[in-house]
Amino acid sequence: MTDSPQSSVNKRLVILVSGSGSNLQSLIDGCESGYIDATVSAVISNNPEAGGLERAAKSGIPNLAIDHRAFDNRESFDQALSELIDGFSPDLVILAGFMRILTANFVDHYLGRMMNIHPSLLPAYPGLHTHRRALEAGDKKAGATVHFVTPELDGGPSIIQAQVEIDNHDNEGSLASKVLAFEHKIYPEAVKWFCDGRLVMENNHVKVDNRSISDSGIIYNLIEPSS
Ligand code: GRF
């Protein structure tokens, strides 16, 4: 019997989703192709209807729903979620469109081994409706940030950012699609670095190849300098 491509790799990923899971798909693809040296051990959702669960099933990845509405409070949900995650002994926990605010206890438990992707150029626009807010503010650029998760909402240190230009004709939907396409590039990249042992968080700062990087993270700049 031959091993499946994923059985020879070492890092274990648990990915949390609430929605369609297009970022999850980019990470599954990255693992399946061998670009990311890891196995997706499980996909977990707080939303039993999440499209991400189906994507996992299609790739034969264990997928589980734990409905937050069945819990009395945030603490008891986070406790149960954490037990579920830890059952898969992950090296890295990845939030990929996981639409829940997490308790500090939960976050502390995974400090330095939990990442998120947020659709703005953090520290601008933490929270929801990022593209709408960027358009309303008349910003010239938008983007996405991969960052380590700390107890402050969308406030952990940045690893990598993708910047895109906002055109005059952009609306919330067009900007979201434009940014999402680049989320699918930067998230696998950051996860690859982590799995290759090149990326760590130390004292709330990010180091790549043992060197501190700027507070914005490494910029994946898609805005061409104007000629
Ligand atoms: C992405 O825009 C991500 O930045 C945000 O939630 C969205 C998830 O999209 N955190 P998908 O489920 O990965 O398609």
Side-chain angles (χ1 to χ4, degrees), residues 44-49 64-72 77 84 100:
I44 301 175
S45 182
N46 64 309
N47 168 17
E49 310 297 323
L64 305 101
I66 173 167
D67 193 337
H68 62 278
R69 291 167 297 192
F71 292 81
D72 288 339
F77 171 73
L84 205 54
R100 294 282 306 164

Side-chain angles (χ1 to χ4, degrees), residues 16-55:
L16 308 187
V17 297
S18 298
S20 91
S22 67
N23 277 291
L24 162 71
Q25 190 66 56
S26 72
L27 296 167
I28 292 174
D29 293 348
C31 290
E32 284 181 347
S33 71
Y35 183 69
I36 302 171
D37 192 9
T39 301
V40 182
S41 302
V43 171
I44 301 175
S45 182
N46 64 309
N47 168 17
E49 310 297 323
L53 293 172
E54 250 172 69
R55 292 183 191 264

Side-chain angles (χ1 to χ4, degrees), residues 167-184:
D167 301 323
N168 289 338
H169 57 266
D170 266 325
N171 56 37
E172 207 177 334
S174 68
L175 189 54
S177 316
K178 204 151 77 173
V179 171
L180 195 59
F182 291 102
E183 293 184 33
H184 301 158

Side-chain angles (χ1 to χ4, degrees), residues 99-161:
M99 303 304 284
R100 294 282 306 164
I101 292 177
L102 299 163
T103 57
N105 274 347
F106 181 94
V107 172
D108 283 342
H109 181 61
Y110 299 106
L111 209 59
R113 53 191 184 106
M114 182 157 65
M115 282 181 197
N116 182 40
I117 190 158
H118 183 75
S120 79
L121 297 171
L122 289 172
Y125 312 124
L128 297 175
H129 310 304
T130 54
H131 302 307
R132 189 188 309 167
R133 289 154 72 197
L135 289 166
E136 282 170 1
D139 292 354
K140 296 278 175 265
K141 58 186 184 176
T145 306
V146 179
H147 64 96
F148 280 108
V149 178
T150 61
E152 187 192 343
L153 179 69
D154 300 323
S158 296
I159 300 163
I160 181 167
Q161 290 195 320

